[in-house]
PDB file of all heavy atoms in Angstrom:
ATOM      1  N   LYS F  33     -10.336  37.824 -34.117  1.00 97.00           N
ATOM      2  CA  LYS F  33     -11.244  37.875 -32.957  1.00 97.00           C
ATOM      3  C   LYS F  33     -10.685  38.770 -31.850  1.00 97.00           C
ATOM      4  O   LYS F  33     -11.427  39.243 -30.998  1.00 97.00           O
ATOM      5  CB  LYS F  33     -11.462  36.471 -32.404  1.00 97.00           C
ATOM      6  CG  LYS F  33     -12.197  35.570 -33.368  1.00 97.00           C
ATOM      7  CD  LYS F  33     -12.264  34.133 -32.854  1.00 97.00           C
ATOM      8  CE  LYS F  33     -12.901  33.225 -33.877  1.00 97.00           C
ATOM      9  NZ  LYS F  33     -12.622  31.801 -33.602  1.00 97.00           N
ATOM     10  N   CYS F  34      -9.401  38.978 -31.853  1.00 98.00           N
ATOM     11  CA  CYS F  34      -8.750  39.773 -30.807  1.00 98.00           C
ATOM     12  C   CYS F  34      -8.698  41.245 -31.188  1.00 98.00           C
ATOM     13  O   CYS F  34      -8.561  42.115 -30.327  1.00 98.00           O
ATOM     14  CB  CYS F  34      -7.326  39.278 -30.558  1.00 98.00           C
ATOM     15  SG  CYS F  34      -7.136  37.483 -30.588  1.00 98.00           S
ATOM     16  N   CYS F  37     -10.307  44.495 -29.745  1.00 98.00           N
ATOM     17  CA  CYS F  37      -9.774  45.116 -28.530  1.00 98.00           C
ATOM     18  C   CYS F  37      -8.262  45.312 -28.525  1.00 98.00           C
ATOM     19  O   CYS F  37      -7.750  46.092 -27.747  1.00 98.00           O
ATOM     20  CB  CYS F  37     -10.136  44.282 -27.322  1.00 98.00           C
ATOM     21  SG  CYS F  37     -11.894  44.059 -27.087  1.00 98.00           S
ATOM     22  N   HIS F  38      -7.536  44.553 -29.336  1.00 98.00           N
ATOM     23  CA  HIS F  38      -6.063  44.619 -29.296  1.00 98.00           C
ATOM     24  C   HIS F  38      -5.461  45.013 -30.640  1.00 98.00           C
ATOM     25  O   HIS F  38      -5.881  44.493 -31.671  1.00 98.00           O
ATOM     26  CB  HIS F  38      -5.470  43.247 -28.937  1.00 98.00           C
ATOM     27  CG  HIS F  38      -5.743  42.766 -27.550  1.00 98.00           C
ATOM     28  ND1 HIS F  38      -5.034  43.205 -26.457  1.00 98.00           N
ATOM     29  CD2 HIS F  38      -6.633  41.855 -27.078  1.00 98.00           C
ATOM     30  CE1 HIS F  38      -5.474  42.583 -25.372  1.00 98.00           C
ATOM     31  NE2 HIS F  38      -6.455  41.772 -25.707  1.00 98.00           N
ATOM     32  N   THR F  54      -9.041  48.787 -26.463  1.00 97.00           N
ATOM     33  CA  THR F  54      -9.660  48.340 -25.218  1.00 97.00           C
ATOM     34  C   THR F  54      -8.709  47.481 -24.403  1.00 97.00           C
ATOM     35  O   THR F  54      -8.742  47.459 -23.182  1.00 97.00           O
ATOM     36  CB  THR F  54     -10.938  47.509 -25.538  1.00 97.00           C
ATOM     37  OG1 THR F  54     -11.730  48.271 -26.426  1.00 97.00           O
ATOM     38  CG2 THR F  54     -11.719  47.198 -24.285  1.00 97.00           C
ATOM     39  N   PRO F  56      -4.370  45.943 -24.086  1.00 98.00           N
ATOM     40  CA  PRO F  56      -2.999  46.391 -24.319  1.00 98.00           C
ATOM     41  C   PRO F  56      -2.428  45.929 -25.668  1.00 98.00           C
ATOM     42  O   PRO F  56      -2.890  44.947 -26.243  1.00 98.00           O
ATOM     43  CB  PRO F  56      -2.221  45.753 -23.155  1.00 98.00           C
ATOM     44  CG  PRO F  56      -3.054  44.587 -22.727  1.00 98.00           C
ATOM     45  CD  PRO F  56      -4.469  44.979 -22.988  1.00 98.00           C
ATOM     46  N   LEU F  58      -0.226  44.006 -28.147  1.00 98.00           N
ATOM     47  CA  LEU F  58       0.257  42.641 -27.970  1.00 98.00           C
ATOM     48  C   LEU F  58       1.558  42.384 -28.728  1.00 98.00           C
ATOM     49  O   LEU F  58       1.962  41.239 -28.913  1.00 98.00           O
ATOM     50  CB  LEU F  58      -0.824  41.619 -28.359  1.00 98.00           C
ATOM     51  CG  LEU F  58      -2.048  41.561 -27.434  1.00 98.00           C
ATOM     52  CD1 LEU F  58      -3.051  40.526 -27.921  1.00 98.00           C
ATOM     53  CD2 LEU F  58      -1.648  41.270 -25.978  1.00 98.00           C
ATOM     54  N   ARG F  64       7.248  38.599 -22.663  1.00 97.00           N
ATOM     55  CA  ARG F  64       7.052  39.893 -21.985  1.00 97.00           C
ATOM     56  C   ARG F  64       6.490  39.642 -20.605  1.00 97.00           C
ATOM     57  O   ARG F  64       5.747  38.687 -20.386  1.00 97.00           O
ATOM     58  CB  ARG F  64       6.047  40.707 -22.821  1.00 97.00           C
ATOM     59  CG  ARG F  64       5.959  42.176 -22.476  1.00 97.00           C
ATOM     60  CD  ARG F  64       5.161  42.887 -23.560  1.00 97.00           C
ATOM     61  NE  ARG F  64       3.711  42.904 -23.244  1.00 97.00           N
ATOM     62  CZ  ARG F  64       2.783  43.352 -24.089  1.00 97.00           C
ATOM     63  NH1 ARG F  64       3.123  43.804 -25.295  1.00 97.00           N
ATOM     64  NH2 ARG F  64       1.504  43.345 -23.736  1.00 97.00           N
ATOM     65  N   ALA F  67       1.264  42.036 -17.715  1.00 98.00           N
ATOM     66  CA  ALA F  67       0.768  43.361 -17.337  1.00 98.00           C
ATOM     67  C   ALA F  67       1.873  44.434 -17.245  1.00 98.00           C
ATOM     68  O   ALA F  67       1.956  45.163 -16.276  1.00 98.00           O
ATOM     69  CB  ALA F  67      -0.014  43.290 -16.020  1.00 98.00           C
ATOM     70  N   PHE F  71      -0.783  50.578 -19.816  1.00 98.00           N
ATOM     71  CA  PHE F  71      -2.205  50.274 -19.980  1.00 98.00           C
ATOM     72  C   PHE F  71      -2.852  50.219 -18.589  1.00 98.00           C
ATOM     73  O   PHE F  71      -2.215  49.818 -17.625  1.00 98.00           O
ATOM     74  CB  PHE F  71      -2.353  48.915 -20.703  1.00 98.00           C
ATOM     75  CG  PHE F  71      -3.778  48.487 -20.889  1.00 98.00           C
ATOM     76  CD1 PHE F  71      -4.536  48.990 -21.941  1.00 98.00           C
ATOM     77  CD2 PHE F  71      -4.373  47.588 -20.017  1.00 98.00           C
ATOM     78  CE1 PHE F  71      -5.865  48.609 -22.110  1.00 98.00           C
ATOM     79  CE2 PHE F  71      -5.703  47.199 -20.178  1.00 98.00           C
ATOM     80  CZ  PHE F  71      -6.441  47.706 -21.218  1.00 98.00           C
ATOM     81  N   TYR F  73      -4.439  48.300 -16.538  1.00 98.00           N
ATOM     82  CA  TYR F  73      -4.791  46.922 -16.228  1.00 98.00           C
ATOM     83  C   TYR F  73      -5.661  46.837 -14.978  1.00 98.00           C
ATOM     84  O   TYR F  73      -5.625  47.710 -14.113  1.00 98.00           O
ATOM     85  CB  TYR F  73      -3.527  46.107 -15.948  1.00 98.00           C
ATOM     86  CG  TYR F  73      -2.615  45.863 -17.131  1.00 98.00           C
ATOM     87  CD1 TYR F  73      -1.458  46.634 -17.296  1.00 98.00           C
ATOM     88  CD2 TYR F  73      -2.888  44.872 -18.066  1.00 98.00           C
ATOM     89  CE1 TYR F  73      -0.605  46.405 -18.373  1.00 98.00           C
ATOM     90  CE2 TYR F  73      -2.043  44.641 -19.143  1.00 98.00           C
ATOM     91  CZ  TYR F  73      -0.902  45.410 -19.289  1.00 98.00           C
ATOM     92  OH  TYR F  73      -0.059  45.191 -20.347  1.00 98.00           O
ATOM     93  N   GLY F  74      -6.349  45.690 -14.859  1.00 98.00           N
ATOM     94  CA  GLY F  74      -7.120  45.405 -13.664  1.00 98.00           C
ATOM     95  C   GLY F  74      -6.172  44.996 -12.537  1.00 98.00           C
ATOM     96  O   GLY F  74      -5.023  44.623 -12.778  1.00 98.00           O
ATOM     97  N   ILE F  77      -4.676  41.095 -12.662  1.00 98.00           N
ATOM     98  CA  ILE F  77      -3.553  40.803 -13.572  1.00 98.00           C
ATOM     99  C   ILE F  77      -2.300  41.563 -13.135  1.00 98.00           C
ATOM    100  O   ILE F  77      -1.183  41.082 -13.307  1.00 98.00           O
ATOM    101  CB  ILE F  77      -3.936  41.066 -15.066  1.00 98.00           C
ATOM    102  CG1 ILE F  77      -2.952  40.334 -15.994  1.00 98.00           C
ATOM    103  CG2 ILE F  77      -4.042  42.533 -15.383  1.00 98.00           C
ATOM    104  CD1 ILE F  77      -3.371  40.248 -17.447  1.00 98.00           C
ATOM    105  N   TRP F  87       4.853  35.958 -19.991  1.00 98.00           N
ATOM    106  CA  TRP F  87       3.984  35.206 -20.905  1.00 98.00           C
ATOM    107  C   TRP F  87       4.768  34.185 -21.692  1.00 98.00           C
ATOM    108  O   TRP F  87       5.725  34.523 -22.389  1.00 98.00           O
ATOM    109  CB  TRP F  87       3.270  36.160 -21.894  1.00 98.00           C
ATOM    110  CG  TRP F  87       2.185  36.957 -21.266  1.00 98.00           C
ATOM    111  CD1 TRP F  87       2.150  38.324 -21.119  1.00 98.00           C
ATOM    112  CD2 TRP F  87       0.946  36.458 -20.717  1.00 98.00           C
ATOM    113  NE1 TRP F  87       0.970  38.690 -20.501  1.00 98.00           N
ATOM    114  CE2 TRP F  87       0.234  37.573 -20.250  1.00 98.00           C
ATOM    115  CE3 TRP F  87       0.397  35.192 -20.574  1.00 98.00           C
ATOM    116  CZ2 TRP F  87      -1.035  37.459 -19.635  1.00 98.00           C
ATOM    117  CZ3 TRP F  87      -0.845  35.061 -19.966  1.00 98.00           C
ATOM    118  CH2 TRP F  87      -1.543  36.187 -19.512  1.00 98.00           C
ATOM    119  N   LEU F  92      -0.274  31.818 -22.310  1.00 98.00           N
ATOM    120  CA  LEU F  92      -1.168  32.682 -23.074  1.00 98.00           C
ATOM    121  C   LEU F  92      -2.375  31.889 -23.597  1.00 98.00           C
ATOM    122  O   LEU F  92      -3.510  32.353 -23.548  1.00 98.00           O
ATOM    123  CB  LEU F  92      -0.418  33.363 -24.214  1.00 98.00           C
ATOM    124  CG  LEU F  92      -1.216  34.473 -24.916  1.00 98.00           C
ATOM    125  CD1 LEU F  92      -0.310  35.658 -25.260  1.00 98.00           C
ATOM    126  CD2 LEU F  92      -1.918  33.980 -26.170  1.00 98.00           C
ATOM    127  N   TYR F  95      -4.662  31.399 -20.765  1.00 98.00           N
ATOM    128  CA  TYR F  95      -5.285  32.684 -20.385  1.00 98.00           C
ATOM    129  C   TYR F  95      -6.464  33.030 -21.290  1.00 98.00           C
ATOM    130  O   TYR F  95      -7.552  33.330 -20.818  1.00 98.00           O
ATOM    131  CB  TYR F  95      -4.223  33.802 -20.423  1.00 98.00           C
ATOM    132  CG  TYR F  95      -4.763  35.186 -20.177  1.00 98.00           C
ATOM    133  CD1 TYR F  95      -5.064  35.626 -18.891  1.00 98.00           C
ATOM    134  CD2 TYR F  95      -4.954  36.075 -21.235  1.00 98.00           C
ATOM    135  CE1 TYR F  95      -5.553  36.909 -18.659  1.00 98.00           C
ATOM    136  CE2 TYR F  95      -5.437  37.369 -21.012  1.00 98.00           C
ATOM    137  CZ  TYR F  95      -5.738  37.773 -19.730  1.00 98.00           C
ATOM    138  OH  TYR F  95      -6.212  39.041 -19.500  1.00 98.00           O
ATOM    139  N   VAL F  96      -6.242  32.982 -22.622  1.00 98.00           N
ATOM    140  CA  VAL F  96      -7.305  33.422 -23.541  1.00 98.00           C
ATOM    141  C   VAL F  96      -8.506  32.478 -23.511  1.00 98.00           C
ATOM    142  O   VAL F  96      -9.597  32.880 -23.847  1.00 98.00           O
ATOM    143  CB  VAL F  96      -6.818  33.637 -24.998  1.00 98.00           C
ATOM    144  CG1 VAL F  96      -5.797  34.753 -25.070  1.00 98.00           C
ATOM    145  CG2 VAL F  96      -6.274  32.353 -25.606  1.00 98.00           C
ATOM    146  N   LYS F 115     -10.352  42.155 -16.719  1.00 98.00           N
ATOM    147  CA  LYS F 115     -10.952  43.212 -17.543  1.00 98.00           C
ATOM    148  C   LYS F 115     -11.154  42.716 -18.964  1.00 98.00           C
ATOM    149  O   LYS F 115     -11.781  43.382 -19.774  1.00 98.00           O
ATOM    150  CB  LYS F 115     -10.064  44.455 -17.534  1.00 98.00           C
ATOM    151  CG  LYS F 115     -10.227  45.299 -16.257  1.00 98.00           C
ATOM    152  CD  LYS F 115      -9.300  46.514 -16.253  1.00 98.00           C
ATOM    153  CE  LYS F 115      -9.887  47.729 -16.923  1.00 98.00           C
ATOM    154  NZ  LYS F 115      -9.005  48.900 -16.772  1.00 98.00           N
ATOM    155  N   MET F 116     -10.585  41.543 -19.255  1.00 98.00           N
ATOM    156  CA  MET F 116     -10.793  40.957 -20.588  1.00 98.00           C
ATOM    157  C   MET F 116     -11.986  40.035 -20.503  1.00 98.00           C
ATOM    158  O   MET F 116     -11.943  39.000 -19.854  1.00 98.00           O
ATOM    159  CB  MET F 116      -9.542  40.199 -21.041  1.00 98.00           C
ATOM    160  CG  MET F 116      -9.730  39.428 -22.334  1.00 98.00           C
ATOM    161  SD  MET F 116      -8.151  39.056 -23.123  1.00 98.00           S
ATOM    162  CE  MET F 116      -8.547  37.520 -23.948  1.00 98.00           C
ATOM    163  N   PHE F 118     -13.462  38.533 -23.013  1.00 98.00           N
ATOM    164  CA  PHE F 118     -13.536  37.597 -24.123  1.00 98.00           C
ATOM    165  C   PHE F 118     -12.926  36.244 -23.769  1.00 98.00           C
ATOM    166  O   PHE F 118     -11.952  36.186 -23.018  1.00 98.00           O
ATOM    167  CB  PHE F 118     -12.786  38.212 -25.312  1.00 98.00           C
ATOM    168  CG  PHE F 118     -12.760  37.377 -26.558  1.00 98.00           C
ATOM    169  CD1 PHE F 118     -13.827  37.369 -27.448  1.00 98.00           C
ATOM    170  CD2 PHE F 118     -11.654  36.584 -26.840  1.00 98.00           C
ATOM    171  CE1 PHE F 118     -13.791  36.599 -28.597  1.00 98.00           C
ATOM    172  CE2 PHE F 118     -11.614  35.817 -27.993  1.00 98.00           C
ATOM    173  CZ  PHE F 118     -12.682  35.833 -28.868  1.00 98.00           C
ATOM    174  N   VAL F 127      -3.022  31.075 -31.771  1.00 98.00           N
ATOM    175  CA  VAL F 127      -2.872  32.519 -31.567  1.00 98.00           C
ATOM    176  C   VAL F 127      -1.543  32.794 -30.836  1.00 98.00           C
ATOM    177  O   VAL F 127      -0.824  33.738 -31.173  1.00 98.00           O
ATOM    178  CB  VAL F 127      -4.065  33.107 -30.778  1.00 98.00           C
ATOM    179  CG1 VAL F 127      -3.843  34.569 -30.431  1.00 98.00           C
ATOM    180  CG2 VAL F 127      -5.342  32.978 -31.574  1.00 98.00           C
TER     181      VAL F 127
HETATM  182  C1  HEC S 201     -13.527  42.451 -25.580  1.00 83.37           C
HETATM  183  C2  HEC S 201     -12.176  42.945 -25.668  1.00 83.37           C
HETATM  184  C3  HEC S 201     -11.055  41.929 -25.778  1.00 83.37           C
HETATM  185  C4  HEC S 201     -10.915  40.893 -26.687  1.00 83.37           C
HETATM  186  C5  HEC S 201     -11.862  40.508 -27.830  1.00 83.37           C
HETATM  187  C6  HEC S 201      -9.653  40.275 -26.400  1.00 83.37           C
HETATM  188  N1  HEC S 201      -9.043  40.899 -25.343  1.00 83.37           N
HETATM  189 FE1  HEC S 201      -7.225  40.421 -24.521  1.00 83.37          FE
HETATM  190  N2  HEC S 201      -7.447  41.878 -23.141  1.00 83.37           N
HETATM  191  C7  HEC S 201      -8.515  42.743 -23.052  1.00 83.37           C
HETATM  192  C8  HEC S 201      -8.371  43.586 -21.875  1.00 83.37           C
HETATM  193  C9  HEC S 201      -9.324  44.682 -21.434  1.00 83.37           C
HETATM  194  C10 HEC S 201      -7.171  43.174 -21.253  1.00 83.37           C
HETATM  195  C11 HEC S 201      -6.618  43.660 -19.915  1.00 83.37           C
HETATM  196  C12 HEC S 201      -7.028  42.624 -18.865  1.00 83.37           C
HETATM  197  C13 HEC S 201      -6.976  43.101 -17.404  1.00 83.37           C
HETATM  198  O1  HEC S 201      -6.500  44.229 -17.165  1.00 83.37           O
HETATM  199  O2  HEC S 201      -7.425  42.337 -16.527  1.00 83.37           O
HETATM  200  C14 HEC S 201      -6.615  42.124 -22.070  1.00 83.37           C
HETATM  201  C15 HEC S 201      -5.410  41.471 -21.802  1.00 83.37           C
HETATM  202  C16 HEC S 201      -4.822  40.528 -22.617  1.00 83.37           C
HETATM  203  C17 HEC S 201      -3.528  39.928 -22.392  1.00 83.37           C
HETATM  204  C18 HEC S 201      -2.551  40.289 -21.286  1.00 83.37           C
HETATM  205  C19 HEC S 201      -1.515  41.242 -21.864  1.00 83.37           C
HETATM  206  C20 HEC S 201      -0.444  41.768 -20.943  1.00 83.37           C
HETATM  207  O3  HEC S 201       0.087  42.849 -21.249  1.00 83.37           O
HETATM  208  O4  HEC S 201      -0.139  41.145 -19.906  1.00 83.37           O
HETATM  209  C21 HEC S 201      -3.323  39.032 -23.403  1.00 83.37           C
HETATM  210  C22 HEC S 201      -2.120  38.155 -23.595  1.00 83.37           C
HETATM  211  C23 HEC S 201      -4.498  39.076 -24.244  1.00 83.37           C
HETATM  212  N3  HEC S 201      -5.388  39.981 -23.741  1.00 83.37           N
HETATM  213  C24 HEC S 201      -4.661  38.317 -25.394  1.00 83.37           C
HETATM  214  C25 HEC S 201      -5.818  38.300 -26.181  1.00 83.37           C
HETATM  215  C26 HEC S 201      -5.974  37.472 -27.353  1.00 83.37           C
HETATM  216  C27 HEC S 201      -4.919  36.552 -27.911  1.00 83.37           C
HETATM  217  C28 HEC S 201      -7.239  37.697 -27.827  1.00 83.37           C
HETATM  218  C29 HEC S 201      -7.936  37.035 -28.991  1.00 83.37           C
HETATM  219  C30 HEC S 201      -8.014  35.586 -28.903  1.00 83.37           C
HETATM  220  C31 HEC S 201      -7.851  38.697 -26.950  1.00 83.37           C
HETATM  221  N4  HEC S 201      -6.956  39.039 -25.977  1.00 83.37           N
HETATM  222  C32 HEC S 201      -9.139  39.208 -27.111  1.00 83.37           C
HETATM  223  C33 HEC S 201      -9.582  42.808 -23.914  1.00 83.37           C
HETATM  224  C34 HEC S 201      -9.859  41.911 -24.938  1.00 83.37           C
END
Side-chain angles (χ1 to χ4, degrees):
K33 295 174 184 162
C34 320
C37 301
H38 292 281
T54 309
L58 292 180
R64 193 169 90 187
F71 178 81
Y73 292 101
I77 198 167
W87 287 115
L92 191 140
Y95 174 78
V96 297
K115 280 178 87 175
M116 173 160 150
F118 180 83
V127 174

